[in-house]
Amino acid sequence: MKRVFTFSVVALSLATAHGSTPAQRGLEVFRQVCSSCHSLNHVTYADLGDLGLSVPDIKAYAGQHEVADGLDDDGDPKTRPAHPSDVIGSPYLTTGMARMANHGGLPPDFSRLAVTQKGGVERIIHILDSYAPPPTGTTLPPGSYYNTAMPHLHIAMPPPLHEGQIKYSDGTKATVPQMAQDVGAFLSWTAHPHLQTRHRTGWIVLTYLAILSGLLFVLKRRVWARRNSDNP
């Protein structure tokens, strides 16, 4: 019940903060679908503020997750609720557990996938939107799924997206192509989570330099005008 309530609050925050954007909808897909297997090891919960989440919502979202916190008195691993400053890590405590839950495969981290995947975001969207039933007579390797985007027409990851799988907070219809596009937008953001902040900082610096240049120009004109008046 706590997780459902927290998700509803976060979804409402996304819908009302700056209006819904593809990256914000992509976060909703990540939270409800992708985060069950994949991590964001280079993105902190606090970074989600750039997508419109308020500080209380970020704290509530982080508090749903447990992170490693050293060892207890018996030498066993212990955990604590995540803080906003923690990264959005894997849902699995160890890589061994991750492989065991995914037939030996290790789900990739999503943080930089948009820049490390050959073909970038467009390639990711194409893969997500290219699952299909195998043609009659097609034999797939065990544990693989038919996907027309792959060179050998199969992939180890089960189809992650299904029609109507989630309910977008802004009322957008959750079709597979729509969710794939939104996930792509979100992954583009996760690859550069501080890009907007850097842009804002850059504009502030440029504005400051422009004003400073103008003031120095005026000062120079006044100094030379005074000097010229003293030396007719």
Side-chain angles (χ1 to χ4, degrees):
M1 178 65 73
K2 178 182 177 182
R3 291 177 66 89
V4 173
F5 174 75
T6 303
F7 170 74
S8 300
V9 172
V10 172
L12 180 61
S13 175
L14 285 172
T16 58
H18 301 108
S20 184
T21 67
Q24 289 174 335
R25 290 195 300 270
L27 171 59
E28 294 187 58
V29 180
F30 174 80
R31 290 202 61 220
Q32 298 182 65
V33 181
C34 312
S35 64
S36 61
C37 294
H38 298 276
S39 59
L40 293 172
N41 287 329
H42 298 282
V43 179
T44 67
Y45 292 96
D47 289 334
L48 299 178
D50 285 346
L51 288 182
L53 267 69
S54 66
V55 173
D57 292 337
I58 290 172
K59 290 181 178 179
Y61 180 32
Q64 295 179 17
H65 303 89
E66 296 287 320
V67 297
D69 190 31
L71 303 176
D72 60 20
D73 294 338
D74 297 323
D76 297 321
K78 63 178 181 178
T79 63
R80 60 166 174 78
H83 300 150
S85 58
D86 290 318
V87 298
I88 305 174
S90 170
Y92 307 104
L93 291 179
T94 65
T95 57
M97 294 176 62
R99 291 185 183 279
M100 186 181 300
N102 292 276
H103 307 288
L106 186 64
D109 178 69
F110 268 9
S111 302
R112 302 290 186 261
L113 195 62
V115 293
T116 59
Q117 169 68 50
K118 185 177 181 180
V121 170
E122 293 303 319
R123 173 65 174 164
I124 296 169
I125 293 172
H126 185 41
I127 292 173
L128 291 175
D129 197 25
S130 296
Y131 285 91
T136 302
T138 300
T139 301
L140 298 175
S144 63
Y145 302 84
Y146 190 73
N147 189 300
T148 58
M150 305 305 292
H152 301 291
L153 300 180
H154 61 81
I155 187 173
M157 181 175 68
L161 304 177
H162 306 279
E163 296 290 324
Q165 183 176 10
I166 71 169
K167 185 176 181 180
Y168 281 120
S169 58
D170 66 353
T172 298
K173 188 175 181 180
T175 64
V176 170
Q178 179 68 61
M179 289 186 286
Q181 290 287 337
D182 293 338
V183 168
F186 176 66
L187 293 182
S188 180
W189 175 83
T190 63
H192 309 283
H194 305 295
L195 185 61
Q196 292 184 354
T197 301
R198 291 199 298 268
H199 283 172
R200 287 194 295 267
T201 302
W203 280 113
I204 291 173
V205 171
L206 288 175
T207 302
Y208 169 78
L209 292 175
I211 294 174
L212 180 61
S213 297
L215 292 175
L216 290 175
F217 177 76
V218 171
L219 180 61
K220 177 183 176 182
R221 291 287 301 270
R222 289 186 176 182
V223 169
W224 280 103
R226 183 178 303 171
R227 183 170 183 177
N228 289 335
S229 64
D230 294 339
N231 299 283

